[in-house]
């Protein structure tokens, strides 16, 4: 049903006065567009316009909206039970979910902690690392080492390992734990240089007694700048972590489930972390759900002397989320990620190529189903977003970055349309 102009205006007015949106001023919010429904790669606005979604709703909706099999999984589970507490109880969707995650992630990861969002999965990972080091009597190991340019979430612990400049450190200075930051490696297309690991190695050598774990996003740094770096860096990090008995946490919340052209981005480097965080696409974008996986060894150490792991969210292993996550993983298993994501990768490369020539563009890059146009100066989000909407696409830039990571089901024709609109809009900036 298409709503009248005045009904829509009333809704938007209430939204503007009472509802907070992500990273938005409480008093002068940017405009928002009201959505009525979504199907496949299309988001339908209340005024009836349909937009091709270039964002997969922030990396999540990998199989498209309103997917019949995901809907069915959710409905079937709702008829059995929507939720039960996980303290003292367990259920088939959670066990099935654990088994399929353990079977699809690196072999080393054998234990799963289910939680409710990516940021919480990062908090859980950090707490695991701290409890592990405490159990080993490495009492000073209370800090984390990461590389600059990262993004790990918005809760306090996760924020402390986000990039100290582009992140939110300044606003919360004094309230965040102090962490160690190393220079990030050079860009992927520049190839590997030995010097890329130097600063990281120096920091680890100098501070290893104080470091519980290294945390990073493998190969692709997402919200911190849509930056790609060489997998060789991860191999070196793995070796250094082992040398000093420091855990390696890989945050695959954005990169996991095929986005980079491999099921998990750590596969590009052929290494496995000690702790892996998953989120975003885990339910195919249906609901907030996340998981932190770790090794037998980490579990065994934390469990020594009757130790317990001190975390337990109310909605831990929510059956609805587990059921839809299982269905999403089944759909992924039916795909050939290399081929299917490779097709999108090619479309992105081909489609965005004309941007290279444009004077306002600093760089164009693509990896897996991620296409990025980096501008020389920041874009005006409100203005450019309106232009995109008028052209029938949903793209939400930030800073100097105009990027897309569409659902995997996007057809070549739709992808072509999407990239063409990007080129046209950037040309006219
Ligand atoms: C989005 C994201 C998070 C945070 O996930 P939320 O579900 O928003 O809390 C953490 N790490 C990475 C790499 C992310 O992209």
């Amino acid at each position: 049903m298409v709503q009248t102009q005045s009904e829509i205006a009333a809704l938007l007015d209430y939204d503007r006065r009472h509802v907070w949106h992500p990273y938005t001023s409480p008093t002068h919010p940017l405009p928002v567009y009201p959505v009525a429904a979504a199907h496949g790669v299309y988001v339908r606005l209340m005024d009836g316009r349909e937009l091709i979604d270039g964002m997969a709703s922030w990396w999540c909706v990998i199989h498209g909206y309103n997917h019949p099999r995901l809907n069915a999984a959710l409905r079937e589970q709702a008829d059995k039970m929507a939720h039960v507490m996980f303290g003292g109880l367990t259920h088939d969707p959670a066990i099935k979910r654990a088994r399929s995650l353990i079977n699809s992630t690196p072999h080393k990861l054998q234990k799963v902690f289910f939680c409710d969002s990516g940021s919480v999965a990062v908090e859980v990972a950090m707490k695991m690392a701290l409890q592990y080091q405490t159990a080993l009597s490495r009492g000073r190991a209370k800090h984390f080492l990461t590389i600059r340019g990262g993004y790990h979430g918005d809760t306090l612990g996760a924020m402390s390992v986000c990039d100290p400049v582009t992140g939110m450190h300044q606003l919360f200075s004094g309230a965040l734990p102090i962490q160690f930051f190393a220079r990030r490696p050079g860009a992927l297309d520049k190839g590997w240089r030995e010097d890329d690991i130097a600063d990281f190695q120096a920091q680890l050598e100098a501070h290893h007694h104080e470091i519980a774990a290294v945390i990073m996003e493998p190969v692709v740094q997402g919200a911190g700048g849509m930056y790609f770096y060489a997998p060789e860096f991860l191999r070196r990090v793995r070796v250094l972590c082992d040398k000093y008995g420091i855990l390696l946490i890989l945050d695959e919340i954005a990169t996991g489930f095929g986005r980079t052209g491999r099921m998990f981005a750590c596969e590009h480097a052929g290494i496995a972390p000690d702790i892996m965080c998953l989120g975003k696409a885990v339910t195919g974008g249906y609901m907030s759900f996340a998981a932190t996986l770790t090794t037998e060894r980490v579990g065994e150490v934390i469990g020594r002397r009757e130790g317990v792991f001190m975390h337990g969210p109310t909605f831990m292993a929510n059956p609805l989320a587990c059921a839809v996550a299982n269905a999403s993983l089944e759909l992924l298993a039916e795909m050939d990620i290399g081929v299917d994501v490779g097709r999108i990768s090619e479309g992105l490369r081909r489609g965005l190529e004309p941007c290279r020539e444009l004077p306002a563009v600093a760089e164009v890059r693509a990896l897996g189903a991620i296409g990025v146009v980096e501008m020389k100066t920041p874009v005006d989000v409100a203005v450019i977003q309106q232009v995109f909407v008028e052209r029938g696409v949903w793209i939400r830039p930030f800073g100097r970055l105009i990027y897309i990571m569409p659902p995997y089901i996007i057809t070549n024709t739709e992808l072509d349309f999407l990239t063409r609109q990007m080129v046209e809009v950037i040309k006219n900036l």
Side-chain angles (χ1 to χ4, degrees):
M1 187 195 73
V2 178
Q3 270 157 298
T4 66
Q5 287 291 347
S6 66
E7 282 168 341
I8 296 173
L11 284 172
L12 285 178
D13 181 57
Y14 193 89
D15 184 285
R16 194 175 168 79
R17 285 185 289 120
H18 297 287
V19 184
W20 283 12
H21 286 264
Y23 313 106
T24 291
S25 159
T27 49
H28 298 89
L30 291 178
V32 292
Y33 296 85
V35 176
H39 62 97
V41 290
Y42 294 91
V43 169
R44 186 159 80 236
L45 299 184
M46 278 187 184
D47 62 12
R49 282 184 290 178
E50 297 231 331
L51 313 176
I52 294 184
D53 179 17
M55 310 303 296
S57 277
W58 277 341
W59 315 80
C60 298
V61 184
I62 52 178
H63 308 297
Y65 297 94
N66 218 341
H67 195 289
R69 282 182 44 197
L70 300 183
N71 288 4
L74 207 50
R75 244 182 251 121
E76 262 170 49
Q77 185 56 45
D79 286 340
K80 290 181 201 150
M81 64 182 167
H83 185 62
V84 286
M85 63 188 280
F86 212 49
L89 298 174
T90 193
H91 46 77
D92 188 51
I95 296 163
K96 205 168 154 208
R97 181 73 203 138
R99 183 176 286 139
S100 57
L101 275 182
I102 285 167
N103 288 341
S104 59
T105 51
H107 180 68
K108 213 174 136 184
L109 303 170
Q110 291 292 322
K111 293 194 169 292
V112 186
F113 189 99
F114 291 117
C115 47
D116 21 29
S117 74
S119 303
V120 176
V122 169
E123 299 289 334
V124 166
M126 293 171 83
K127 285 171 74 173
M128 276 181 189
L130 292 170
Q131 279 197 241
Y132 170 88
Q133 301 294 7
T134 304
L136 290 178
S137 306
R138 290 189 68 228
R140 283 173 62 204
K142 298 276 190 243
H143 301 270
F144 293 83
L145 169 63
T146 184
I147 52 175
R148 290 179 182 274
Y151 174 79
H152 297 284
D154 292 348
T155 51
L156 286 165
M159 249 195 327
S160 77
V161 285
C162 291
D163 186 89
V165 180
T166 62
M168 296 156 272
H169 288 214
Q170 244 133 36
L171 270 173
F172 299 97
S173 66
L176 295 181
I178 305 296
Q179 316 292 12
F180 296 104
F181 293 88
R183 187 163 56 77
R184 70 178 177 188
L188 177 63
D189 59 357
K190 304 283 187 299
W192 173 252
R193 281 165 311 179
E194 215 38 51
D195 180 52
D196 281 342
I197 194 71
D199 186 43
F200 185 91
Q201 184 164 354
Q203 300 248 7
L204 208 53
E205 277 163 9
H207 304 295
H208 62 93
H209 291 300
E210 299 166 72
I211 295 171
V214 164
I215 179 166
M216 356 197 298
E217 295 155 277
V219 186
V220 175
Q221 291 185 311
M226 306 301 293
Y227 184 80
F228 312 151
Y229 64 85
E232 179 63 18
F233 188 77
L234 289 173
R235 285 191 280 272
R236 299 303 184 88
V237 166
R238 179 71 271 181
V239 170
L240 287 166
C241 284
D242 288 341
K243 179 174 168 189
Y244 292 107
I246 287 168
L247 297 175
L248 174 59
I249 303 170
L250 288 183
D251 177 349
E252 292 254 14
I253 291 165
T255 51
F257 304 104
R259 185 53 69 179
T260 69
R262 298 288 191 95
M263 184 67 173
F264 298 104
C266 64
E267 294 171 21
H268 290 285
I271 60 139
D274 303 294
I275 301 176
M276 182 189 266
C277 303
L278 299 174
K280 289 203 162 92
V282 80
T283 60
Y286 267 54
M287 44 210 299
S288 184
F289 191 56
T292 306
L293 285 93
T294 192
T295 59
E296 291 286 3
R297 158 91 185 154
V298 170
E300 183 267 313
V301 169
I302 290 174
R304 280 180 193 174
R305 293 184 293 276
E306 293 170 33
V308 296
F309 181 58
M310 287 307 277
H311 206 95
T314 307
F315 282 96
M316 188 168 184
N318 171 256
L320 285 177
C322 286
V324 73
N326 284 329
S328 172
L329 204 61
E330 274 168 29
L331 289 173
L332 266 177
E334 290 164 20
M335 284 174 59
D336 183 333
I337 288 175
V339 174
D340 298 342
V341 175
R343 169 185 70 85
I344 298 173
S345 214
E346 245 170 68
L348 288 170
R349 258 177 254 275
R350 200 178 42 239
L352 297 178
E353 186 62 30
C355 291
R356 282 186 201 280
E357 311 294 315
L358 305 176
V361 171
E363 206 188 87
V364 179
R365 53 186 180 265
L367 179 72
I370 312 166
V372 184
V373 178
E374 185 163 338
M375 309 299 292
K376 288 178 181 156
T377 53
V379 298
D380 184 331
V381 178
V383 172
I384 197 170
Q385 191 137 68
Q386 188 182 347
V387 178
F388 279 132
V389 168
E390 280 158 10
R391 286 173 169 270
V393 296
W394 180 245
I395 299 173
R396 184 169 175 83
F398 71 90
R400 296 186 293 119
L401 300 161
I402 306 175
Y403 66 103
I404 49 175
M405 48 221 186
Y408 302 158
I409 55 151
I410 194 166
T411 64
N412 288 340
T413 315
E414 289 159 344
L415 184 56
D416 230 44
F417 182 80
L418 191 59
T419 53
R420 216 169 38 243
Q421 303 317 310
M422 253 173 103
V423 174
E424 289 302 315
V425 168
I426 293 171
K427 207 182 267 176
N428 295 325
L429 277 181

